[in-house]
Amino acid sequence: MLNVALLGAGRIAGVHATAISSHPQSRLSAVADINVAAAERLAAQYGAAVRSIDEILADASVDAVLIATSTDTHSDLIERATAAGKAVLCEKPVDLSLERALACQKAVSASGKPVMIGFNRRFDPNFAALKAASERGEIGKSELLSITSFDPAPPPVSYIKVSGGIFRDMMIHDFDMSNFIMGSVPKTVSAVGSSIVDPEIGAAGDIDTAVVTLQYDDGRVAVIKNSRRAVYGYDQRLELLGSEGLLQAQNMLESTVVKSTTSGVVSAKPTYFFLERYMPAYAAEWAAFVEAVAGGDSVPVTLEDGVAALAMAEAAARSLSSRRPVDLADILG
Amino acid sequence: MLNVALLGAGRIAGVHATAISSHPQSRLSAVADINVAAAERLAAQYGAAVRSIDEILADASVDAVLIATSTDTHSDLIERATAAGKAVLCEKPVDLSLERALACQKAVSASGKPVMIGFNRRFDPNFAALKAASERGEIGKSELLSITSFDPAPPPVSYIKVSGGIFRDMMIHDFDMSNFIMGSVPKTVSAVGSSIVDPEIGAAGDIDTAVVTLQYDDGRVAVIKNSRRAVYGYDQRLELLGSEGLLQAQNMLESTVVKSTTSGVVSAKPTYFFLERYMPAYAAEWAAFVEAVAGGDSVPVTLEDGVAALAMAEAAARSLSSRRPVDLADILG
Amino acid sequence: MLNVALLGAGRIAGVHATAISSHPQSRLSAVADINVAAAERLAAQYGAAVRSIDEILADASVDAVLIATSTDTHSDLIERATAAGKAVLCEKPVDLSLERALACQKAVSASGKPVMIGFNRRFDPNFAALKAASERGEIGKSELLSITSFDPAPPPVSYIKVSGGIFRDMMIHDFDMSNFIMGSVPKTVSAVGSSIVDPEIGAAGDIDTAVVTLQYDDGRVAVIKNSRRAVYGYDQRLELLGSEGLLQAQNMLESTVVKSTTSGVVSAKPTYFFLERYMPAYAAEWAAFVEAVAGGDSVPVTLEDGVAALAMAEAAARSLSSRRPVDLADILG
Amino acid sequence: MLNVALLGAGRIAGVHATAISSHPQSRLSAVADINVAAAERLAAQYGAAVRSIDEILADASVDAVLIATSTDTHSDLIERATAAGKAVLCEKPVDLSLERALACQKAVSASGKPVMIGFNRRFDPNFAALKAASERGEIGKSELLSITSFDPAPPPVSYIKVSGGIFRDMMIHDFDMSNFIMGSVPKTVSAVGSSIVDPEIGAAGDIDTAVVTLQYDDGRVAVIKNSRRAVYGYDQRLELLGSEGLLQAQNMLESTVVKSTTSGVVSAKPTYFFLERYMPAYAAEWAAFVEAVAGGDSVPVTLEDGVAALAMAEAAARSLSSRRPVDLADILG
């Protein structure tokens, strides 16, 4: 039985609390948050204690911490928790600063403790099934990957301003997905984009519509499309062309009901947003973490994976501003 | 907080135990089963006690019982539990004998306690969405309902022999579904069928392939198709034609992955069987029961509904053997 | 080169004129119609002559006639044309009177000339592909066939009155389709139905919504659903359940465009009516006729097939009025 | 009645011959080809004469010529035909040399004769319906266009060598499609690609897998994906994201038959290649040409459109070799 403390008590922390409590081999013992009321609400719901981070890290009976605090605290907390001997599952991204994330990576590797980064989409049953079919060779050799990843609505501009930008905040999921599906990082990153959805986003120095192409050493190509607004719902699709076929992971729909009238044939929309779409993925992610930690195995999404996705976001940002393709090697130095 | 005891500890009881435990307003306190080992396993998993049915019914702190024992005990347990002042959720069917079910209905109505019959499919999100769209008038006036309901594989012949036959065991779900969607019982039931899937089923006196047509007083028509074997999975679909359109509830698929190769375009199969397909329905069913009991409202699927479906099964069986349409009024006397 | 005369110059005759003219091995030489203006229009468009039926039948250079006149003339014209040594393709049905159709069948068999009945749906590429897959054993042994066949809108009541009723006018296509797919005629026909779409149709002595079940000697079952009104378009679907799977032929849609908005995901409607949906089928039907006649082979849809479908319509009508299943053997005497 | 001569008697010329002959307002009077046997075959089939190009251009009774000869002759023939007073429909591309195409454009504008370029895909009913929906504002303001355009199999390397490369030979269709859907040419073109399908294609100096991103003055973005090999068929899809929704044009399938077995749910593949997929488009293209010429209207796809697509191909080729985005203005000088 894994004794788990949850750092953070916001919305995504609540999702993780359910996963931790529902898993037969883990229990939620403590919750910490600077917003004490939020911590108390969450702790009460799952029968856990409210404790400070210091108390949690000093408690030898806590086996693992799940970090779901604000992004600017991730690197510090990963370092402190591993130094305290805890296994860590940390929400993405590792950091907004690639330099800081690389330092964190170095610090952690000294500790030898497992650190898993919460790229939950790898555990979506559809994407995982696509990946498995690809690995079984069902479409031969991979050639061209396409990722469509549109949010239903843009976040407030106040959030945009502290988000690190579309590449570090939103497309970082898709960078990790391309690494997951393709099995390696790209050589070159090229980005185009604009703030066509909302000029306020442009005024805040960010873009809301972006297309990034990735080139791999062996000739493979990937293209990622992001938009901050798809009014019909959360659009999350993959397509992988191979030498012997095409694999597609399509959207999950709100229901299977189809209505045919004089106006046309109407199906349900995609499930609305990430909590609905990826709820099974969060449970599967937690199960994979528990299994790896309990079995002494390496975690399925490493801190190195988190750093790689961040480096690709950095490359994309530089490509956008320089209007040039950027080699990932130039980013990682 | 509803204090609940579970009568029965088989496979479907396990599904209910999860629903009871996960609901914020109910807790599972006791499990009873003649198979003590099974009761102990289930009770341990959810922190409940193993008790006898007598103990449970005598315990005033138990608010509700969920009956998931063998069919031949349903009527007796419904009567005893309501007499003991418990609210009841009982698995379908009420009984294999229509006469016995009618007697049970009379006995229970005296008690005044709520009895809900476990026609879980009414709580399937897709069928519920179809029903809601129909009630909102989205396809005008209903005219013709089609229900496709195929099991992935036939049960053992030993089960067939005690099942009450395809109409009481399998199509009873579809009879209830037609009552749910159409909002009333039919006037006339006509059945055809054969044992074409497995001659052993025919030798046991049952059929494995059946088509039943239902005629309503107001001219509406419904047709129900059953097969004990659809090798591609559990095929559960509805179609409702109305004066202004068509509503269809299609199968849920194992994943959204589509593979295109020289062999064709391959999608995932329907989710395999009722536990997978209707898992969300079981949770929604339980939530509806808790809400009705807690609020003092009438339950959404009544004992009368259970009797109506059973009467339709009886009519279908008579129609099959007599090769004549049978009026439901002739069954209910 | 087959020299062809067209008897009739109405809408469906125009479709056939295109097929005859476009086929590399046939040419349209003459058109006959009591509506001379219609005959002249059609003849002019395709460079054919306007002639009387007597002239056409007396002309030894005419190899074949296509009969697209009103139903009440079909039997007579089939007999006269075959007696005159012509090959015949005649629109369905052979006759509204089964007795007359049987007499026609006897008369024609004496002539030895090929007579093909225009059940165009057998030549629909989708239905033909389903049939071929079934014959290749792709779903094992056939067990349960479902035919959905809804017209977009009811015809005028004036037409209903002379149509012979829904079974002889509309479902006759589906009776032939069941014979085509199942490879044999059923043993028993059971019909239910009502005039729920339009009470005027009921007042005219017909129904507009019908469900017919067919039982076969070997235990197979088929169910045919007809409605005179599906406001979303012409709904023409088949489903065949077999021991190793399910084959479905779905509707053809007006386009492949899908629109996703806040209102849902909207696809195109089915192609509107039989001319649009079955245009390729009419061309394939004509090609099959030419190939059979040119090669001296038997035609793919015989006069016997036309009589069989008519007998099933007769059985369905008797079943509806008697509220009893009717054995086809009792119809055919 | 438009009197038309066909220059070229190859495979695509045969498609055009059918369209010309079937149209009620045009007739095919002459065919010219240096391969006399081919010209004779085609002329015989449609009752046309075999003539030299000189004879055709000198014949005042010829109203229009359809140029379906090899690409290197297009510019010359367009100039000669317009100088001779003929209306012209010329297969794409105008030329492999942008300089030559620009000279042709200047020469033709002096003649004042209509020249239409055969970008047949604009007339595909699905793409045309998507464009129409976009123009009606059904998804608000356009933001992000995606074009998937995969051939079923690569052409012979001998063809690749004279093709002008993937951008001028294959993606030129997609450049024109982006201009059609977006209603304007892009500002900047960025290309990546590789010869991952077949190293022989790389050895011949071309690529077989390409992704091109287009940026527009107003912030809109488009991405075009090409592969020379999609083994499952001809993959031709569009997606347009707008401020109020998404429009997709999906593939046309060989049939509507769906087979469900233990192996999964199998649909038909996309129609195999351009003749099958775009046959209706060729007829619609010809009808649009006839209507424009007969009505004295401007043709719906101009020589300027042909030059624009060629300039985008040129920009893509330069972007690929320079690994830099290329402004279209730098190409057009």
Side-chain angles (χ1 to χ4, degrees):
Chain A
M1 182 64 66
L2 209 65
N3 183 7
V4 184
L6 182 53
L7 312 189
R11 189 170 55 158
I12 196 65
V15 173
H16 290 301
T18 304
I20 295 166
S21 299
S22 302
H23 195 286
Q25 290 171 265
S26 64
R27 68 186 189 86
L28 181 63
S29 64
V31 178
D33 200 297
I34 49 173
N35 179 337
V36 178
E40 284 175 347
R41 259 196 313 276
L42 199 59
Q45 191 180 344
Y46 292 96
V50 174
R51 303 177 77 183
S52 73
I53 291 179
D54 287 346
E55 287 171 339
I56 286 168
L57 295 184
D59 182 346
S61 75
V62 172
D63 303 306
V65 298
L66 196 155
I67 302 174
T69 51
S70 61
T71 295
D72 58 342
T73 65
H74 287 181
S75 294
D76 284 350
L77 290 174
I78 291 172
E79 290 175 1
R80 290 178 60 196
T82 51
K86 313 302 182 198
V88 172
L89 172 55
C90 181
E91 269 296 317
K92 63 98 227 172
V94 178
D95 208 287
L96 293 183
S97 155
L98 177 61
E99 192 178 15
R100 180 68 189 87
L102 285 164
C104 178
Q105 181 179 326
K106 182 179 284 183
V108 164
S109 74
S111 83
K113 298 304 298 180
V115 176
M116 179 161 147
I117 302 301
F119 283 121
N120 57 300
R121 295 183 191 177
R122 291 193 181 206
F123 301 95
D124 174 78
N126 308 297
F127 298 155
L130 185 151
K131 162 80 169 173
S134 167
E135 289 195 334
R136 283 192 300 268
E138 294 188 10
I139 56 159
K141 192 167 56 73
S142 296
E143 294 164 357
L144 176 54
L145 170 69
S146 304
I147 300 178
T148 299
S149 178
F150 300 159
D151 280 357
V157 171
S158 59
Y159 173 84
I160 292 280
K161 286 176 179 167
V162 298
S163 70
I166 196 169
F167 298 123
R168 291 180 193 87
D169 174 59
M170 180 174 173
M171 199 180 280
I172 196 164
H173 272 296
D174 307 301
F175 290 132
D176 181 66
M177 183 57 63
S178 65
N179 293 343
F180 175 57
I181 299 293
M182 298 298 246
S184 62
V185 295
K187 188 184 174 203
T188 308
V189 176
S190 309
V192 303
S194 57
S195 66
I196 191 172
V197 167
D198 182 356
E200 292 286 309
I201 292 176
D206 201 3
I207 57 176
D208 48 42
T209 301
V211 175
V212 167
T213 51
L214 307 175
Q215 292 174 270
Y216 294 79
D217 269 332
D218 55 6
R220 290 178 302 164
V221 179
V223 58
I224 301 171
K225 297 183 293 174
N226 269 190
S227 170
R228 286 287 193 183
R229 180 185 60 200
V231 298
Y232 50 92
Y234 192 40
D235 196 339
Q236 299 280 296
R237 289 173 286 151
L238 292 189
E239 276 195 27
L240 181 60
L241 178 68
S243 55
E244 296 171 23
L246 180 80
L247 287 168
Q248 298 169 291
Q250 299 180 322
N251 282 317
M252 299 183 68
L253 304 183
E254 287 171 346
S255 88
T256 68
V257 175
V258 177
K259 179 174 66 170
S260 301
T261 68
T262 52
S263 307
V265 177
V266 186
S267 306
K269 290 180 288 183
T271 47
Y272 187 67
F273 206 8
F274 66 96
L275 289 185
E276 291 76 15
R277 163 66 193 252
Y278 290 120
M279 192 56 80
Y282 283 110
E285 176 187 71
W286 180 252
F289 176 74
V290 171
E291 189 183 353
V293 171
D297 298 330
S298 60
V299 292
V301 197
T302 63
L303 186 50
E304 285 68 29
D305 290 322
V307 169
L310 187 62
M312 290 163 74
E314 181 73 24
R318 287 198 206 169
S319 172
L320 186 77
S321 61
S322 69
R323 299 190 66 238
R324 291 289 178 272
V326 171
D327 283 351
L328 201 58
D330 293 341
I331 296 293
L332 289 167
Chain B
M1 181 65 65
L2 208 65
N3 182 8
V4 184
L6 181 53
L7 311 190
R11 189 170 54 160
I12 196 67
V15 173
H16 290 302
T18 304
I20 296 166
S21 299
S22 301
H23 195 286
Q25 290 171 267
S26 64
R27 68 186 189 86
L28 180 64
S29 64
V31 177
D33 200 298
I34 50 172
N35 180 337
V36 178
E40 283 175 348
R41 258 195 314 276
L42 200 58
Q45 192 180 341
Y46 293 96
V50 174
R51 305 176 74 183
S52 73
I53 291 178
D54 286 347
E55 287 171 340
I56 286 168
L57 296 183
D59 183 346
S61 76
V62 172
D63 303 306
V65 297
L66 195 155
I67 302 174
T69 52
S70 62
T71 296
D72 58 341
T73 65
H74 287 181
S75 294
D76 285 350
L77 290 174
I78 291 171
E79 291 175 2
R80 290 178 61 196
T82 52
K86 313 302 183 200
V88 172
L89 173 55
C90 181
E91 269 297 316
K92 63 98 226 172
V94 178
D95 207 288
L96 292 184
S97 156
L98 177 60
E99 193 178 14
R100 180 69 189 87
L102 285 164
C104 177
Q105 183 180 325
K106 182 180 284 183
V108 164
S109 73
S111 83
K113 299 304 298 181
V115 176
M116 177 161 150
I117 303 300
F119 284 122
N120 57 299
R121 295 183 191 177
R122 291 192 182 207
F123 302 93
D124 174 78
N126 307 297
F127 298 155
L130 186 151
K131 162 82 167 170
S134 168
E135 290 196 333
R136 281 192 301 267
E138 294 189 10
I139 57 160
K141 192 166 55 74
S142 296
E143 293 165 356
L144 176 54
L145 171 68
S146 305
I147 301 180
T148 298
S149 177
F150 300 159
D151 279 357
V157 171
S158 58
Y159 173 85
I160 294 280
K161 287 177 180 167
V162 299
S163 69
I166 196 169
F167 298 123
R168 291 181 193 87
D169 176 58
M170 182 175 169
M171 200 180 279
I172 196 164
H173 272 296
D174 307 301
F175 290 132
D176 181 67
M177 185 54 64
S178 65
N179 293 343
F180 175 58
I181 299 293
M182 297 299 244
S184 62
V185 295
K187 186 182 177 207
T188 309
V189 177
S190 309
V192 302
S194 58
S195 65
I196 192 173
V197 167
D198 183 355
E200 292 288 308
I201 292 175
D206 200 3
I207 57 175
D208 48 43
T209 302
V211 174
V212 168
T213 51
L214 308 175
Q215 292 174 270
Y216 294 79
D217 269 333
D218 56 6
R220 289 178 302 164
V221 180
V223 58
I224 302 172
K225 297 183 295 174
N226 268 191
S227 170
R228 285 285 192 184
R229 181 185 59 201
V231 299
Y232 51 91
Y234 193 40
D235 196 339
Q236 300 279 298
R237 289 173 286 150
L238 293 188
E239 276 195 28
L240 180 61
L241 179 68
S243 56
E244 296 171 23
L246 180 80
L247 286 169
Q248 298 168 291
Q250 300 181 320
N251 282 315
M252 299 184 66
L253 304 184
E254 287 171 346
S255 87
T256 66
V257 175
V258 177
K259 179 174 65 172
S260 302
T261 68
T262 52
S263 306
V265 177
V266 185
S267 305
K269 290 182 288 184
T271 48
Y272 186 68
F273 207 7
F274 66 95
L275 289 184
E276 291 76 17
R277 164 64 193 252
Y278 291 121
M279 192 56 81
Y282 284 109
E285 177 186 69
W286 181 251
F289 177 75
V290 171
E291 189 182 352
V293 171
D297 298 329
S298 60
V299 291
V301 196
T302 64
L303 187 50
E304 285 67 28
D305 289 323
V307 170
L310 188 60
M312 291 162 74
E314 182 73 24
R318 287 197 206 170
S319 172
L320 185 76
S321 61
S322 68
R323 298 189 68 237
R324 291 288 179 272
V326 172
D327 282 351
L328 201 59
D330 293 341
I331 296 293
L332 289 169
Chain C
M1 181 65 66
L2 208 66
N3 183 7
V4 184
L6 182 53
L7 312 188
R11 188 170 56 159
I12 196 67
V15 173
H16 289 301
T18 305
I20 296 167
S21 300
S22 301
H23 194 287
Q25 290 171 266
S26 64
R27 67 184 189 88
L28 181 66
S29 63
V31 178
D33 200 297
I34 49 173
N35 180 337
V36 179
E40 282 176 347
R41 259 197 312 277
L42 200 59
Q45 190 179 344
Y46 293 96
V50 175
R51 304 177 74 184
S52 72
I53 291 178
D54 286 347
E55 288 171 337
I56 286 168
L57 296 184
D59 181 347
S61 76
V62 173
D63 302 306
V65 297
L66 196 154
I67 303 173
T69 51
S70 63
T71 296
D72 58 342
T73 65
H74 287 181
S75 294
D76 285 349
L77 289 175
I78 291 172
E79 289 175 1
R80 290 178 61 197
T82 52
K86 313 302 183 199
V88 172
L89 173 56
C90 181
E91 268 297 317
K92 62 96 226 172
V94 178
D95 207 288
L96 292 183
S97 155
L98 177 61
E99 193 180 13
R100 180 69 189 87
L102 284 164
C104 177
Q105 183 180 325
K106 182 180 284 184
V108 163
S109 74
S111 83
K113 298 305 297 180
V115 176
M116 178 161 148
I117 303 300
F119 283 121
N120 57 301
R121 295 183 192 178
R122 292 193 181 206
F123 302 93
D124 174 78
N126 307 297
F127 297 156
L130 186 150
K131 162 82 168 172
S134 168
E135 290 196 332
R136 282 192 301 267
E138 294 188 10
I139 58 161
K141 193 167 55 74
S142 295
E143 293 165 357
L144 177 53
L145 171 68
S146 305
I147 301 179
T148 299
S149 179
F150 300 159
D151 279 357
V157 171
S158 58
Y159 173 85
I160 293 280
K161 287 177 179 166
V162 299
S163 70
I166 194 169
F167 298 124
R168 290 180 193 87
D169 175 58
M170 181 176 172
M171 200 181 279
I172 197 164
H173 273 297
D174 307 300
F175 289 132
D176 182 67
M177 184 54 63
S178 65
N179 293 343
F180 175 59
I181 299 292
M182 297 299 245
S184 62
V185 295
K187 188 184 174 205
T188 308
V189 177
S190 309
V192 302
S194 57
S195 64
I196 192 173
V197 167
D198 182 356
E200 292 287 310
I201 292 175
D206 200 3
I207 58 175
D208 47 43
T209 302
V211 174
V212 168
T213 52
L214 308 175
Q215 292 175 271
Y216 294 79
D217 269 332
D218 55 6
R220 290 178 301 163
V221 179
V223 57
I224 301 172
K225 297 183 295 175
N226 268 189
S227 170
R228 286 285 192 185
R229 180 185 60 200
V231 298
Y232 51 92
Y234 192 40
D235 196 338
Q236 300 279 299
R237 287 173 287 150
L238 293 189
E239 275 196 28
L240 181 61
L241 178 68
S243 56
E244 296 171 24
L246 180 79
L247 287 169
Q248 297 168 291
Q250 301 182 319
N251 282 316
M252 298 183 69
L253 305 183
E254 287 171 345
S255 86
T256 67
V257 174
V258 177
K259 179 173 66 172
S260 302
T261 68
T262 53
S263 307
V265 177
V266 186
S267 306
K269 290 182 287 184
T271 47
Y272 186 69
F273 207 7
F274 67 96
L275 289 184
E276 291 76 17
R277 164 64 193 255
Y278 290 121
M279 193 54 81
Y282 284 110
E285 177 187 69
W286 180 252
F289 177 75
V290 171
E291 188 182 353
V293 170
D297 298 329
S298 59
V299 290
V301 196
T302 63
L303 186 50
E304 286 67 29
D305 290 323
V307 170
L310 188 62
M312 291 163 74
E314 182 72 24
R318 288 198 206 170
S319 172
L320 185 78
S321 60
S322 69
R323 295 190 69 237
R324 291 288 178 273
V326 172
D327 283 350
L328 201 58
D330 293 342
I331 296 293
L332 289 169
Chain D
M1 180 66 64
L2 208 65
N3 182 9
V4 184
L6 181 53
L7 311 190
R11 188 168 57 158
I12 196 65
V15 173
H16 289 301
T18 304
I20 296 166
S21 299
S22 302
H23 195 287
Q25 290 171 266
S26 64
R27 67 185 190 86
L28 181 64
S29 64
V31 178
D33 200 297
I34 50 172
N35 179 338
V36 178
E40 282 175 348
R41 258 197 313 277
L42 199 60
Q45 191 179 343
Y46 292 96
V50 175
R51 304 178 76 185
S52 72
I53 291 178
D54 286 348
E55 286 171 340
I56 287 168
L57 296 184
D59 182 346
S61 76
V62 173
D63 301 305
V65 297
L66 195 155
I67 302 173
T69 51
S70 62
T71 296
D72 58 341
T73 65
H74 287 181
S75 293
D76 284 349
L77 289 175
I78 291 171
E79 290 175 1
R80 290 178 60 196
T82 51
K86 313 302 181 196
V88 172
L89 173 55
C90 181
E91 269 297 316
K92 63 97 225 171
V94 179
D95 207 289
L96 293 183
S97 155
L98 177 60
E99 192 178 13
R100 180 69 189 86
L102 285 164
C104 178
Q105 181 180 326
K106 182 180 285 183
V108 164
S109 74
S111 83
K113 299 304 298 181
V115 176
M116 177 161 149
I117 302 301
F119 283 122
N120 56 299
R121 296 183 191 176
R122 292 192 182 208
F123 302 94
D124 174 78
N126 308 297
F127 297 154
L130 186 151
K131 162 82 168 172
S134 168
E135 289 196 334
R136 283 192 301 268
E138 294 189 10
I139 58 160
K141 192 166 56 74
S142 297
E143 293 164 356
L144 176 53
L145 171 69
S146 305
I147 300 179
T148 299
S149 178
F150 300 159
D151 279 357
V157 171
S158 59
Y159 173 83
I160 293 280
K161 286 177 179 165
V162 300
S163 69
I166 195 169
F167 298 123
R168 290 181 192 87
D169 175 59
M170 180 175 172
M171 198 179 280
I172 196 164
H173 272 296
D174 307 302
F175 289 132
D176 182 67
M177 183 56 62
S178 66
N179 292 343
F180 174 58
I181 299 293
M182 298 298 246
S184 62
V185 295
K187 186 183 175 206
T188 309
V189 177
S190 309
V192 302
S194 57
S195 65
I196 191 172
V197 167
D198 182 356
E200 291 287 309
I201 292 175
D206 200 2
I207 58 175
D208 47 44
T209 302
V211 174
V212 167
T213 51
L214 308 175
Q215 292 174 270
Y216 294 79
D217 269 333
D218 55 7
R220 289 179 302 163
V221 179
V223 57
I224 301 171
K225 296 183 295 174
N226 268 190
S227 170
R228 285 285 193 186
R229 180 185 61 201
V231 298
Y232 51 92
Y234 192 40
D235 196 339
Q236 299 280 298
R237 289 173 286 152
L238 293 189
E239 277 196 27
L240 181 61
L241 178 69
S243 55
E244 296 171 23
L246 180 79
L247 287 168
Q248 298 169 290
Q250 299 182 321
N251 282 316
M252 299 184 68
L253 304 184
E254 287 171 346
S255 87
T256 67
V257 174
V258 177
K259 179 173 65 171
S260 301
T261 68
T262 53
S263 307
V265 177
V266 186
S267 306
K269 290 180 287 182
T271 47
Y272 187 68
F273 207 6
F274 66 95
L275 289 184
E276 292 76 17
R277 163 66 194 253
Y278 290 121
M279 192 56 80
Y282 284 110
E285 177 187 70
W286 180 252
F289 177 74
V290 171
E291 189 183 351
V293 170
D297 298 329
S298 59
V299 291
V301 197
T302 63
L303 186 51
E304 285 68 28
D305 289 322
V307 170
L310 187 62
M312 290 162 75
E314 181 74 24
R318 286 197 206 170
S319 172
L320 185 78
S321 61
S322 69
R323 299 187 68 237
R324 292 286 179 274
V326 171
D327 284 351
L328 201 59
D330 292 341
I331 295 294
L332 289 168

